[in-house]
Amino acid sequence: QVQLVESGGGLVQAGGSLRLSCAASGSIFSIPAMRWHRQAPGKQRELVAAITTGGSTDYGDSVKGRFTISRDNAKNTVYLQMNSLKPEDTAVYYCNADVRSYNSRLYAYWGQGTQVSVSS
């Protein structure tokens, strides 16, 4: 079993910054991809950013140029640096990881979510 634990959410004023962290623990052989998603009230969950083991990244259009995803492979941890935050960034942010177990199977895991609130 694998657990993803997020931290770093909170309340910030528009224009401010926050850094989210997500640490994976458990029976892990490798983590080919880690992602951040978010879901605002009344809206569908959307992909915010993704990163592979090799460091290739992808971002949702609404956060390009403002958010940066990174990871520490040795710590099985992914980060999301969020700058120039806007009220529309308010959402619950979820960490997601594709984890390869020691039996070579690939499983998807999700964190419990962390609230990010941006005031105008």
mmCIF file of all heavy atoms in Angstrom, residues 9 21 24 26-28 34 38 55 89 91 95 103 105 110 112 117-118:
data_model
loop_
_atom_site.group_PDB
_atom_site.id
_atom_site.type_symbol
_atom_site.label_atom_id
_atom_site.label_comp_id
_atom_site.label_asym_id
_atom_site.label_seq_id
_atom_site.Cartn_x
_atom_site.Cartn_y
_atom_site.Cartn_z
ATOM 1 N N GLY A 9 -1.076 23.887 2.054
ATOM 2 C CA GLY A 9 -2.200 24.722 1.668
ATOM 3 C C GLY A 9 -2.470 25.792 2.700
ATOM 4 O O GLY A 9 -1.868 25.825 3.774
ATOM 5 N N SER A 21 3.462 20.530 -0.931
ATOM 6 C CA SER A 21 4.320 19.351 -0.955
ATOM 7 C C SER A 21 3.453 18.101 -0.881
ATOM 8 O O SER A 21 2.376 18.116 -0.291
ATOM 9 C CB SER A 21 5.277 19.343 0.238
ATOM 10 O OG SER A 21 6.116 20.464 0.235
ATOM 11 N N ALA A 24 5.187 10.650 -0.900
ATOM 12 C CA ALA A 24 4.690 9.294 -1.075
ATOM 13 C C ALA A 24 5.498 8.343 -0.202
ATOM 14 O O ALA A 24 6.723 8.456 -0.119
ATOM 15 C CB ALA A 24 4.788 8.872 -2.529
ATOM 16 N N GLY A 26 5.523 4.005 1.431
ATOM 17 C CA GLY A 26 4.958 2.669 1.334
ATOM 18 C C GLY A 26 5.796 1.794 0.417
ATOM 19 O O GLY A 26 6.991 1.991 0.266
ATOM 20 N N SER A 27 5.116 0.833 -0.190
ATOM 21 C CA SER A 27 5.789 -0.138 -1.047
ATOM 22 C C SER A 27 5.953 0.453 -2.456
ATOM 23 O O SER A 27 5.074 0.340 -3.305
ATOM 24 C CB SER A 27 4.980 -1.435 -1.110
ATOM 25 O OG SER A 27 5.643 -2.393 -1.905
ATOM 26 N N ILE A 28 7.083 1.098 -2.675
ATOM 27 C CA ILE A 28 7.318 1.838 -3.919
ATOM 28 C C ILE A 28 8.587 1.357 -4.587
ATOM 29 O O ILE A 28 9.666 1.428 -3.987
ATOM 30 C CB ILE A 28 7.421 3.347 -3.632
ATOM 31 C CG1 ILE A 28 6.130 3.877 -3.020
ATOM 32 C CG2 ILE A 28 7.765 4.108 -4.913
ATOM 33 C CD1 ILE A 28 6.247 5.294 -2.486
ATOM 34 N N MET A 34 4.135 12.067 -11.371
ATOM 35 C CA MET A 34 3.429 12.669 -10.249
ATOM 36 C C MET A 34 2.728 13.901 -10.766
ATOM 37 O O MET A 34 3.244 14.598 -11.648
ATOM 38 C CB MET A 34 4.390 13.025 -9.101
ATOM 39 C CG MET A 34 5.164 11.834 -8.577
ATOM 40 S SD MET A 34 6.171 12.201 -7.134
ATOM 41 C CE MET A 34 4.944 12.071 -5.812
ATOM 42 N N ARG A 38 -6.660 19.972 -9.230
ATOM 43 C CA ARG A 38 -7.433 20.798 -8.314
ATOM 44 C C ARG A 38 -8.909 20.714 -8.668
ATOM 45 O O ARG A 38 -9.274 20.432 -9.817
ATOM 46 C CB ARG A 38 -6.970 22.254 -8.335
ATOM 47 C CG ARG A 38 -7.232 22.994 -9.629
ATOM 48 C CD ARG A 38 -6.610 24.387 -9.576
ATOM 49 N NE ARG A 38 -6.861 25.149 -10.797
ATOM 50 C CZ ARG A 38 -6.320 26.333 -11.054
ATOM 51 N NH1 ARG A 38 -5.480 26.891 -10.175
ATOM 52 N NH2 ARG A 38 -6.615 26.965 -12.174
ATOM 53 N N GLY A 55 12.020 14.491 -15.135
ATOM 54 C CA GLY A 55 11.893 15.933 -15.006
ATOM 55 C C GLY A 55 11.081 16.612 -16.093
ATOM 56 O O GLY A 55 10.964 17.845 -16.106
ATOM 57 N N ASP A 89 -7.749 30.606 -8.408
ATOM 58 C CA ASP A 89 -6.930 29.442 -8.064
ATOM 59 C C ASP A 89 -7.457 28.740 -6.817
ATOM 60 O O ASP A 89 -6.966 27.671 -6.440
ATOM 61 C CB ASP A 89 -5.474 29.861 -7.822
ATOM 62 C CG ASP A 89 -4.790 30.364 -9.078
ATOM 63 O OD1 ASP A 89 -4.989 29.757 -10.146
ATOM 64 O OD2 ASP A 89 -4.059 31.371 -8.982
ATOM 65 N N ALA A 91 -9.212 26.352 -4.587
ATOM 66 C CA ALA A 91 -9.660 24.990 -4.855
ATOM 67 C C ALA A 91 -9.033 24.049 -3.829
ATOM 68 O O ALA A 91 -8.140 24.448 -3.077
ATOM 69 C CB ALA A 91 -9.254 24.544 -6.260
ATOM 70 N N CYS A 95 -2.817 15.647 -4.848
ATOM 71 C CA CYS A 95 -1.630 15.011 -5.402
ATOM 72 C C CYS A 95 -2.031 13.649 -5.967
ATOM 73 O O CYS A 95 -2.869 12.944 -5.390
ATOM 74 C CB CYS A 95 -0.603 14.851 -4.291
ATOM 75 S SG CYS A 95 0.881 13.960 -4.754
ATOM 76 N N ASN A 103 6.045 -5.732 -7.826
ATOM 77 C CA ASN A 103 5.562 -6.787 -8.733
ATOM 78 C C ASN A 103 5.409 -6.264 -10.160
ATOM 79 O O ASN A 103 4.805 -6.922 -11.000
ATOM 80 C CB ASN A 103 4.229 -7.355 -8.228
ATOM 81 C CG ASN A 103 3.112 -6.334 -8.222
ATOM 82 O OD1 ASN A 103 3.265 -5.231 -8.753
ATOM 83 N ND2 ASN A 103 1.986 -6.678 -7.626
ATOM 84 N N ARG A 105 3.635 -3.974 -11.340
ATOM 85 C CA ARG A 105 2.340 -3.403 -11.707
ATOM 86 C C ARG A 105 2.330 -1.914 -11.409
ATOM 87 O O ARG A 105 3.012 -1.434 -10.505
ATOM 88 C CB ARG A 105 1.210 -4.101 -10.956
ATOM 89 C CG ARG A 105 0.983 -5.537 -11.408
ATOM 90 C CD ARG A 105 -0.229 -6.123 -10.742
ATOM 91 N NE ARG A 105 -0.532 -7.449 -11.267
ATOM 92 C CZ ARG A 105 -1.564 -8.185 -10.882
ATOM 93 N NH1 ARG A 105 -2.410 -7.717 -9.977
ATOM 94 N NH2 ARG A 105 -1.764 -9.375 -11.397
ATOM 95 N N TRP A 110 -4.009 8.626 -4.865
ATOM 96 C CA TRP A 110 -4.392 10.021 -4.650
ATOM 97 C C TRP A 110 -4.187 10.409 -3.194
ATOM 98 O O TRP A 110 -4.370 9.585 -2.287
ATOM 99 C CB TRP A 110 -5.861 10.228 -5.004
ATOM 100 C CG TRP A 110 -6.151 10.128 -6.462
ATOM 101 C CD1 TRP A 110 -6.356 8.988 -7.186
ATOM 102 C CD2 TRP A 110 -6.250 11.211 -7.388
ATOM 103 N NE1 TRP A 110 -6.585 9.298 -8.514
ATOM 104 C CE2 TRP A 110 -6.523 10.654 -8.651
ATOM 105 C CE3 TRP A 110 -6.131 12.599 -7.280
ATOM 106 C CZ2 TRP A 110 -6.679 11.445 -9.801
ATOM 107 C CZ3 TRP A 110 -6.302 13.370 -8.409
ATOM 108 C CH2 TRP A 110 -6.568 12.800 -9.649
ATOM 109 N N GLN A 112 -5.192 13.118 0.043
ATOM 110 C CA GLN A 112 -6.479 13.494 0.631
ATOM 111 C C GLN A 112 -6.910 14.905 0.241
ATOM 112 O O GLN A 112 -8.064 15.274 0.438
ATOM 113 C CB GLN A 112 -6.401 13.381 2.160
ATOM 114 C CG GLN A 112 -5.730 14.549 2.873
ATOM 115 C CD GLN A 112 -4.226 14.568 2.718
ATOM 116 O OE1 GLN A 112 -3.611 13.645 2.152
ATOM 117 N NE2 GLN A 112 -3.588 15.607 3.244
ATOM 118 N N SER A 117 -6.897 28.747 -0.610
ATOM 119 C CA SER A 117 -7.880 29.822 -0.729
ATOM 120 C C SER A 117 -7.146 31.123 -0.993
ATOM 121 O O SER A 117 -6.216 31.469 -0.258
ATOM 122 C CB SER A 117 -8.715 29.938 0.540
ATOM 123 O OG SER A 117 -9.442 28.750 0.784
ATOM 124 N N VAL A 118 -7.568 31.829 -2.033
ATOM 125 C CA VAL A 118 -6.935 33.086 -2.418
ATOM 126 C C VAL A 118 -7.981 34.194 -2.315
ATOM 127 O O VAL A 118 -9.010 34.155 -2.997
ATOM 128 C CB VAL A 118 -6.369 33.020 -3.846
ATOM 129 C CG1 VAL A 118 -5.621 34.309 -4.175
ATOM 130 C CG2 VAL A 118 -5.444 31.811 -4.001
#
